[in-house]
Amino acid sequence: MSNRDYTKNDYAWLELFNKYNILEEINRNSFFVITSKEINEFREARLMTKFDQKTNLPKLFKEHKLSILPISRGSYVIGKFDAYMDVIYDERVEAEEFTLIHDFESLNINNLYSEASALHAAYLGNLISNILEEEAFPTISGRMSTGEFSFYITSQGDKFSIDVKNSQCEIDGGFESKNKLLLVEAKNFEVDNFLIRQIYYPYRLWKSKVEKQVIPAFFTYSNDIFSFFIYEFEDVNNYNSLKLVKQKNFIYKQDPITLDDIYKLLIETPIKQEPKVPFPQANSFERVIDLLGLLANETLNKEAITLNYSFDKRQTDYYVNAGKYLGLIDTKREINEVICFLTSEGEMIMKKDPRSKKLSIVNKIFEHEVFHKCMKLYFQTLTPLKKEDVINIMNESYIYNVKKDTDTIKRRASTVMRWIDWILALAK
């Protein structure tokens, strides 16, 4: 990793590791306790300790398989802990359609680009009651103190004991029914993993407060799909005893997209001149959609995207450039920051209903020669595209700043195929 791939957090943690010999202490004692005051010497602790996904971890943490957990209001423990849980979106789980219980003026189903609004829609669509199989009501949310408890966490194959004394935790949504309390950690983008602490600390807090069954859940709103992962802790004292019980997917009821819709859009969309923007190397189009959604909610600088969402620094560049390639994202430099925001066309598209939004984005993809020709080839053969066919089309087309018959063409071909797959999946 070159220095240009370092974030401000990477540099600050490097200074901290050097000042306090943190690696040596961990190798000697299996852990190191650090305070907010010590972290604040180099950068604000609030920015230096929030790593909701593994991708967000600083370079030194990734290299040495470290993670960090809060143990009080102003202190943290660092160690080689198994702190994260992988998230696998089971494609076999079909999305159940739903509608809202009423027409609401203050909740726009076409503009659910914050975690709170997505959770409100989930409640008002009776998704929470569906999951609990009992009528449920919102009862708790926000920041609160954890109280005091102890737990075990796996560290290099062994159990490591941690004591928590009035640390802070946050609950995105708590919903209570007659017999159950559902605690939800929410994200408005797709993830590969999440920090178990986000649901374990609230679970321990409310497990000690109520007699009802306490159910921890992780929720994502991505690509217009509401995905709930319902868990249980098999051993209340074991941080790593988290087990997936079920996954439930939901989608707001709308008219379906058909292959005829996609074909009609293809033949009606003229190919435009290629922009002077790098050809996309962002394989997950779902994450392109997620980034558009994040920017629909607020303007973000590149560092904020890297530190808070499921992107590393290079991926941030790749996905921002993918949005710029489509004409939906733009950037500007302010002092030492690159600010990312939606173009006027991007804003207009992201306000549309889910069906119209997706078709409008497909239209933007079809404006580009390579994607237009690849989609046309699919409809001519009605068979999955082969990589060599995509490479041939790319070599026959104009691509900004990319020479023909190069390894770069071969690498970018995988992105083309994944974007075409996303388009075709809309008609399933």
Side-chain angles (χ1 to χ4, degrees):
M1 183 182 285
S2 64
N3 285 354
R4 70 179 183 177
D5 292 319
Y6 277 57
T7 65
K8 292 178 183 178
N9 275 354
D10 289 327
Y11 285 116
W13 274 111
L14 184 60
E15 296 284 351
L16 281 164
F17 271 61
N18 288 335
K19 178 173 181 177
Y20 294 105
N21 298 314
I22 292 176
L23 274 181
E24 291 83 349
E25 289 296 322
I26 291 174
N27 288 333
R28 184 182 301 115
N29 301 315
S30 299
F31 71 99
F32 181 82
V33 173
I34 192 166
T35 66
S36 297
K37 183 178 179 181
E38 291 166 336
I39 296 172
N40 286 335
E41 293 179 53
F42 296 93
R43 195 161 191 248
E44 191 178 349
R46 177 181 61 86
L47 302 173
M48 289 276 282
T49 58
K50 186 178 185 298
F51 310 122
D52 292 348
Q53 294 88 43
K54 287 182 183 178
T55 308
N56 306 138
L57 286 166
K59 182 177 183 294
L60 277 171
F61 282 70
K62 292 176 183 175
E63 285 183 351
H64 299 282
K65 299 181 179 179
L66 302 174
S67 57
I68 183 170
L69 295 170
I71 52 176
S72 71
R73 189 58 63 96
S75 60
Y76 305 83
V77 61
I78 303 172
K80 297 185 178 183
F81 308 132
D82 294 341
Y84 293 84
M85 180 77 166
D86 289 338
V87 176
I88 298 173
Y89 292 82
D90 190 342
E91 295 181 355
R92 297 170 298 178
V93 178
E94 293 190 11
E96 302 174 29
E97 291 188 331
F98 74 95
T99 58
L100 300 183
I101 56 178
H102 297 292
D103 290 329
F104 297 95
E105 290 188 30
S106 59
L107 180 74
N108 184 349
I109 196 69
N110 303 327
N111 188 22
L112 302 179
Y113 298 122
S114 71
E115 291 154 3
S117 62
L119 265 183
H120 288 321
Y123 171 70
L124 296 172
N126 278 327
L127 308 190
I128 306 300
S129 297
N130 179 309
I131 289 166
L132 293 181
E133 300 178 335
E134 297 178 344
E135 187 176 15
F137 302 91
T139 55
I140 51 174
S141 65
R143 295 178 181 175
M144 52 201 75
S145 176
T146 61
E148 297 185 12
F149 62 90
S150 300
F151 66 91
Y152 292 101
I153 188 171
T154 303
S155 175
Q156 295 181 288
D158 296 323
K159 286 185 177 181
F160 183 86
S161 180
I162 292 178
D163 298 321
V164 175
K165 294 184 179 180
N166 299 314
S167 181
Q168 185 173 272
C169 68
E170 184 168 3
I171 298 173
D172 292 324
F175 303 89
E176 187 171 345
S177 65
K178 182 179 179 180
N179 299 294
K180 303 167 186 175
L181 174 63
L182 182 73
L183 302 178
V184 181
E185 172 65 24
K187 300 295 179 189
N188 55 338
F189 54 92
E190 189 176 282
V191 302
D192 295 320
N193 52 71
F194 68 90
L195 182 62
I196 297 173
R197 188 263 303 163
Q198 294 174 285
I199 61 176
Y200 184 66
Y201 282 22
Y203 171 79
R204 287 299 304 266
L205 169 63
W206 286 96
K207 183 74 173 173
S208 67
K209 285 178 173 288
V210 301
E211 295 183 2
K212 295 180 180 182
Q213 180 186 3
V214 179
I215 302 173
F218 190 81
F219 162 71
T220 64
Y221 176 69
S222 171
N223 209 33
D224 298 315
I225 301 294
F226 298 71
S227 295
F228 285 87
F229 297 86
I230 311 303
Y231 293 98
E232 67 175 357
F233 286 98
E234 295 183 323
D235 179 350
V236 66
N237 298 309
N238 186 343
Y239 180 100
N240 298 108
S241 67
L242 185 66
K243 302 296 179 185
L244 179 66
V245 176
K246 61 183 175 181
Q247 176 186 339
K248 296 273 286 186
N249 292 342
F250 303 91
I251 189 169
Y252 188 74
K253 189 174 182 179
Q254 59 190 314
D255 291 335
I257 294 174
T258 67
L259 278 177
D260 286 341
D261 293 325
I262 295 171
Y263 180 71
K264 184 174 184 291
L265 197 58
L266 178 68
I267 61 176
E268 291 178 350
T269 303
I271 296 173
K272 294 188 176 180
Q273 183 177 348
E274 281 292 283
K276 294 182 178 180
V277 174
F279 192 85
Q281 47 184 329
N283 279 3
S284 171
F285 200 80
E286 288 81 1
R287 288 195 174 175
V288 176
I289 300 291
D290 283 343
L291 181 57
L292 292 171
L294 296 174
L295 295 177
N297 189 46
E298 60 180 327
T299 296
L300 295 167
N301 62 45
K302 281 191 175 182
E303 184 190 23
I305 294 170
T306 300
L307 295 181
N308 296 310
Y309 303 104
S310 200
F311 302 96
D312 61 30
K313 193 167 184 180
R314 287 193 180 189
Q315 287 174 332
T316 295
D317 288 334
Y318 294 160
Y319 284 89
V320 168
N321 283 336
K324 293 177 75 172
Y325 178 80
L326 295 174
L328 303 178
I329 292 176
D330 204 351
T331 58
K332 61 182 177 181
R333 182 169 287 279
E334 291 184 357
I335 310 176
N336 295 320
E337 296 181 331
V338 176
I339 307 299
C340 306
F341 56 94
L342 293 186
T343 62
S344 57
E345 187 173 19
E347 290 180 350
M348 179 184 67
I349 287 174
M350 296 307 288
K351 290 176 182 177
K352 293 184 176 182
D353 65 85
R355 183 181 186 278
S356 299
K357 176 179 64 180
K358 289 172 183 174
L359 288 174
S360 295
I361 292 172
V362 172
N363 170 255
K364 298 301 296 180
I365 297 174
F366 285 167
E367 290 178 350
H368 297 273
E369 182 180 6
V370 168
F371 294 93
H372 195 107
K373 288 181 176 179
C374 285
M375 200 75 240
K376 189 174 182 180
L377 177 61
Y378 170 80
F379 279 112
Q380 287 171 347
T381 63
L382 291 178
T383 57
L385 295 178
K386 297 178 181 178
K387 191 170 185 178
E388 52 265 34
D389 292 331
V390 175
I391 291 171
N392 288 338
I393 289 173
M394 294 178 76
N395 281 322
E396 293 168 358
S397 306
Y398 170 74
I399 299 177
Y400 171 70
N401 210 25
V402 176
K403 295 181 180 179
K404 302 181 185 302
D405 297 312
T406 61
D407 288 339
T408 301
I409 290 284
K410 295 177 182 177
R411 290 195 298 271
R412 301 295 187 275
S414 62
T415 293
V416 175
M417 296 179 72
R418 294 286 295 277
W419 286 26
I420 296 296
D421 287 343
W422 177 81
I423 293 171
L424 293 174
L426 297 178
K428 290 184 179 178

